[in-house]
Amino acid sequence: MELKFTSLSSKAISLAPLKALSSEAESLSFPSSEPTKQQQQQLPLRIIPGDYGLPFFGAIKDRLEYFYSDGGRNEFFRSRQQKYNSTIFRANMPPGPFVASDPKVIVLLDGKSFPVLFDLTKVEKKDLFTGTYMPSTNLTGGYRILSYLDPSEPKHEKLKNLIFFLLKSRSNNVIPQFHSNYTDLFDSLDIELSKNGKASFSGNDQTAFTFLCRAFYGTDPKDTSLGSDGPSLVQKWVLFNLSPELSLGLPKFIEDPILHTFRLPSIFVKSDYKRLYDFFYGSAGFVLEEAERQGISRDEACHNILFATCFNTFGGVKIFFPALMKWIGGPGNKELHSRLAQEIRSAVKSNGGEVTIATMEEMPLMKSVVYETFRIDPPVPLQYAKAKQDMVIENHENSFQVKKGEMLFGFQPFATKDPKIFERAEEFVGDRFLGEEGEKLLKYVLWSNGPETESPSVRNKQCPGKDFVVLVSRLLVVEMFLRYDSFEVEATKSALGYDLNFISLAKATS
Ligand code: HEM
């Protein structure tokens, strides 16, 4: 069968979740087994448990426990949840001194309270994309980049529209470019596997970066002075942005002072960043022209599209693609693989061998496994928002008073594994989102900083790349099961995501 990977039409990438959902505009309401609004109002008021300890020392103690205690970050949250018998409590979040002036947060761990972080009538999202500290603007050309802007700031709308413009203008290139770049990657994985008995998925970094540059800007970095340095330059720059909240697995007496106590000086990454900037300035003329038409300088626009491409998109895909392979390739999923292969191949066949957005709408199981991975392993796990007013927040058992100015922090992997919302919440259930009942659960999938049933707009902080990300994640699964009947992986945790090896890739037999 000859396969064609084409985009459907010139319309913007826009995906219906599993099928057109009538609940699209529905706000986050709970199914009938949940308390009614009136009952919710009667939930007993409880003082938020937990404390911040002594000034300075309390923050350091929490930081060391978060990074270095047995069980790490998950245990940090789980043990406190148990101790306070509450999914809402007070704690300090890293980095604390001397990087963040105020580490105090109210932690939200359940799927009911978490969505308050998206309610911009109640919270503000200014300068807290990375949490209780904001990286130096020296790392971003002196600008506060879109991700740090609250929708109440006039620039937010202009810059978000620019990202929508970029995605819409280039939507026809995504499917063909994805196919071409990822075919090369899988060709090389096949060779590596046959030589060494295993093949590292680390080549995904170079492939993803090249794919993004070709799809978004029509330029292959290898044809420019950037060459193949893009991914390593981005990684170093991201480390300088995120070091206060990362662990690289070094001994704590080395790592904690270097990464978490002071900021890494931006001067050490200046020339690397300049190379990236020059590449984008030279390749993204059509976006910079549009920016000028909208009253944004070419310089500010260029720093913003660099950030959107390298930090938001490359960073996200670098984390999420290995996660997708890890969860689908997990032990005991052989039967799931054969169902996926059968579904994907028959949909492609009945659409004349074409892989399009419409073809993928006929693959409900494939769509469900992608959503399930976003649920069980959300790629951006930490979300912050500041209370704009005094308010009451609720988990399943209680209500809690929050004061204006307090920082709310949601640890998403717990919210999307809330056992009161999801059955077998800790398990990867590939077909969880199938059928009417499954679709109802999509509003609790929150990876894009909003429910999966809602859409990004200039008025909210939901990821503008939401549809693009869902599309490329689906394409990866489709590519896999057009090529292979089944596969097995080995994965180990890394600073951001997983290091993943394929230990078998069984070629398609039908
Ligand atoms: C796997 C890939 C991606 C993931 C996991 C991801 C995740 C997120 C999350 C969680 C946020 C909200 C952060 C917060 O405010 O707390 C966000 C915002 C944002 N993302 Fe994405 N994203 C991805 C891809 C993309 C793509 C493809 C683009 C654009 C090309 C993009 C551009 C942005 C921008 C500009 C914002 C800020 C939105 C605003 O200020 O309203 N992201 N993303």
Side-chain angles (χ1 to χ4, degrees):
M1 176 173 55
E2 196 208 336
L3 297 176
K4 286 176 254 162
F5 285 74
T6 47
S7 278
L8 237 200
S9 70
S10 61
K11 78 181 172 70
I13 300 161
S14 172
L15 305 173
L18 281 160
K19 62 177 187 181
L21 281 178
S22 55
S23 58
E24 284 253 320
E26 191 180 295
S27 64
L28 268 192
S29 62
F30 280 75
S32 52
S33 60
E34 298 293 332
T36 63
K37 195 97 196 158
Q38 203 185 357
Q39 284 166 327
Q40 280 183 24
Q41 278 161 5
Q42 290 162 3
L43 285 177
L45 191 65
R46 187 178 166 190
I47 290 179
I48 300 174
D51 63 74
Y52 302 114
L54 291 172
F56 185 84
F57 295 104
I60 304 276
K61 179 172 171 285
D62 279 356
R63 178 169 87 206
L64 293 175
E65 273 182 39
Y66 177 95
F67 284 120
Y68 305 110
S69 64
D70 287 347
R73 178 166 81 178
N74 281 352
E75 197 45 36
F76 178 87
F77 295 118
R78 206 186 323 274
S79 59
R80 282 162 176 76
Q81 177 178 344
Q82 273 165 5
K83 178 172 160 195
Y84 303 127
N85 190 25
S86 176
T87 54
I88 297 183
F89 53 82
R90 295 182 185 278
N92 297 293
M93 274 296 284
F98 297 102
V99 178
S101 59
D102 188 358
K104 301 188 200 77
V105 302
I106 296 169
V107 179
L108 314 176
L109 295 183
D110 61 274
K112 187 176 173 191
S113 62
F114 195 96
V116 71
L117 300 167
F118 314 140
D119 184 348
L120 295 168
T121 62
K122 293 185 177 153
V123 300
E124 187 189 68
K125 297 270 292 178
K126 193 171 178 179
D127 295 340
L128 38 72
F129 176 64
T130 46
T132 54
Y133 78 101
M134 182 182 163
S136 165
T137 52
N138 290 338
L139 291 164
T140 49
Y143 295 101
R144 285 174 61 238
I145 296 295
L146 173 56
S147 289
Y148 294 95
L149 303 185
D150 185 76
S152 63
E153 300 179 72
K155 274 262 171 72
H156 177 269
E157 175 169 357
K158 283 189 174 178
L159 289 170
K160 199 159 182 178
N161 271 333
L162 191 66
I163 304 296
F164 286 135
F165 168 82
L166 164 68
L167 289 167
K168 189 172 172 185
S169 316
R170 303 293 300 175
S171 59
N172 274 346
N173 301 287
V174 175
I175 297 180
Q177 280 300 341
F178 190 93
H179 176 63
S180 141
N181 285 283
Y182 276 84
T183 298
D184 291 349
L185 175 64
F186 283 113
D187 286 348
S188 65
L189 287 175
D190 286 339
I191 294 169
E192 195 183 326
L193 188 76
S194 66
K195 267 200 214 144
N196 306 332
K198 63 175 167 182
S200 164
F201 195 48
S202 58
N204 176 53
D205 288 2
Q206 191 67 56
T207 302
F209 189 78
T210 307
F211 154 66
L212 291 171
C213 294
R214 288 171 70 179
F216 287 169
Y217 309 107
T219 306
D220 189 330
K222 290 195 196 71
D223 301 334
T224 72
S225 58
L226 193 59
S228 55
D229 296 343
S232 57
L233 299 179
V234 173
Q235 244 161 274
K236 184 174 166 196
W237 169 68
V238 168
L239 175 69
F240 274 63
N241 280 271
L242 291 184
S243 63
E245 55 185 292
L246 290 184
S247 172
L248 303 178
L250 303 170
K252 75 173 165 191
F253 61 89
I254 297 176
E255 187 175 87
D256 200 58
I258 294 177
L259 294 189
H260 309 143
T261 312
F262 303 99
R263 290 163 193 267
L264 297 175
S266 57
I267 188 84
F268 293 128
V269 76
K270 198 172 174 194
S271 59
D272 299 318
Y273 184 76
K274 176 79 169 56
R275 286 186 65 200
L276 290 167
Y277 179 88
D278 290 344
F279 169 77
F280 285 95
Y281 203 87
S283 313
F286 73 102
V287 193
L288 306 184
E289 276 156 32
E290 173 65 14
E292 272 191 324
R293 277 194 288 276
Q294 303 305 328
I296 308 163
S297 74
R298 290 173 87 92
D299 186 51
E300 182 164 8
C302 190
H303 288 291
N304 269 279
I305 57 168
L306 186 165
F307 195 93
T309 311
C310 298
F311 198 115
N312 300 118
T313 315
F314 174 76
V317 167
K318 177 180 163 57
I319 295 170
F320 190 63
F321 276 16
L324 198 50
M325 294 295 97
K326 175 202 161 252
W327 287 102
I328 300 176
N333 281 348
K334 272 250 150 59
E335 198 216 319
L336 177 68
H337 293 180
S338 67
R339 285 168 65 200
L340 281 166
Q342 208 260 325
E343 174 190 89
I344 290 167
R345 290 174 203 168
S346 82
V348 172
K349 199 168 170 193
S350 63
N351 283 280
E354 280 203 72
V355 175
T356 64
I357 289 173
T359 314
M360 289 189 286
E361 287 303 316
E362 293 169 26
M363 305 174 184
L365 181 61
M366 178 282 287
K367 292 161 67 175
S368 177
V369 295
V370 171
Y371 290 135
E372 177 65 346
T373 310
F374 277 122
R375 180 195 74 83
I376 203 163
D377 211 347
V380 180
L382 317 181
Q383 257 93 51
Y384 293 82
K386 198 166 255 186
K388 280 211 277 216
Q389 58 194 49
D390 291 356
M391 62 170 134
V392 172
I393 55 173
E394 290 173 341
N395 61 11
H396 297 287
E397 297 82 18
N398 287 102
S399 55
F400 302 86
Q401 184 78 49
V402 170
K403 288 261 171 273
K404 180 178 173 181
E406 292 198 285
M407 182 74 105
L408 300 169
F409 157 74
F411 187 55
Q412 199 183 135
F414 278 37
T416 53
K417 287 188 280 185
D418 183 336
K420 296 222 160 72
I421 293 175
F422 292 103
E423 281 172 23
R424 296 155 68 201
E426 298 288 331
E427 274 175 58
F428 180 83
V429 179
D431 50 14
R432 185 185 294 280
F433 296 98
L434 286 187
E436 228 171 277
E437 286 309 302
E439 287 177 22
K440 284 191 192 148
L441 293 171
L442 277 176
K443 65 181 171 202
Y444 305 111
V445 176
L446 309 171
W447 71 269
S448 64
N449 199 39
E452 195 57 30
T453 45
E454 291 181 16
S455 300
S457 85
V458 294
R459 286 174 302 284
N460 63 29
K461 284 291 284 178
Q462 195 164 10
C463 175
K466 174 176 175 255
D467 286 349
F468 172 86
V469 173
V470 171
L471 170 62
V472 294
S473 305
R474 290 176 180 177
L475 285 171
L476 182 65
V477 182
V478 169
E479 286 287 345
M480 277 308 283
F481 287 100
L482 288 175
R483 275 183 85 106
Y484 307 110
D485 281 342
S486 190
F487 63 96
E488 288 171 284
V489 296
E490 275 173 357
T492 48
K493 266 272 176 223
S494 67
L496 289 169
Y498 301 99
D499 288 330
L500 188 107
N501 286 304
F502 289 97
I503 49 172
S504 83
L505 285 165
K507 291 260 170 60
T509 48
S510 63

